[in-house]
Amino acid sequence: QLQASGGGLVQAGGSLRLSCATSGRTFSVAAVGWFRQAAGKEREFVAVISQSGSNTYYADSVKGRFTISRDNAKNTVYLQMNSLKPEDTAVYYCAAKKRWGLITSRNEYDFWGQGTLVTVSS
């Protein structure tokens, strides 16, 4: 129901845009978020956007560099990643949840897509 794409290899300082395509039923849920998991680390919250797109929230580590947006007509959520750093290297996952609360907790998300690998070289 969720399909993430757009990962790849980029040099530090570069940009990538990830996409998360969802089915119609999934897209009607409250929020869609991005998480990431680096090798040997826990999966961590990156960003989330409400169903309407009017509310967004970012992890401190990406604030000012990443932008989450959505196109409801295309049932797609985007994560624009600028000024990438080697520490941004991870598998990125998109997820959807039915209610807006507890938006940074991965355990609160109802649907998950497969990951897309982002590698940032120094």
Side-chain angles (χ1 to χ4, degrees), residues 35-112:
F35 288 75
R36 66 186 182 186
Q37 188 167 16
K41 294 188 177 181
E42 295 285 321
R43 190 171 300 187
E44 64 176 6
F45 168 79
V46 175
V48 64
I49 188 166
S50 63
Q51 195 278 336
S52 67
S54 60
N55 293 309
T56 59
Y57 188 76
Y58 298 89
D60 287 343
S61 58
V62 307
K63 202 172 295 182
R65 300 188 298 122
F66 291 10
T67 302
I68 190 170
S69 62
R70 68 192 297 159
D71 184 337
N72 286 349
K74 296 182 178 179
N75 289 346
T76 301
V77 171
Y78 304 98
L79 184 68
Q80 178 66 44
M81 305 186 296
N82 298 329
S83 302
L84 283 161
K85 305 174 181 180
E87 52 263 44
D88 294 317
T89 295
V91 177
Y92 283 71
Y93 299 88
C94 61
K97 69 190 312 292
K98 297 177 181 177
R99 294 180 176 83
W100 179 247
L102 299 174
I103 54 178
T104 65
S105 172
R106 64 181 185 268
N107 295 328
E108 296 294 322
Y109 283 73
D110 304 292
F111 308 99
W112 287 86

Side-chain angles (χ1 to χ4, degrees), residues 9-27:
L9 174 64
V10 63
Q11 288 188 331
S15 298
L16 280 176
R17 189 178 79 160
L18 305 184
S19 298
C20 177
T22 68
S23 67
R25 183 176 76 89
T26 306
F27 210 70

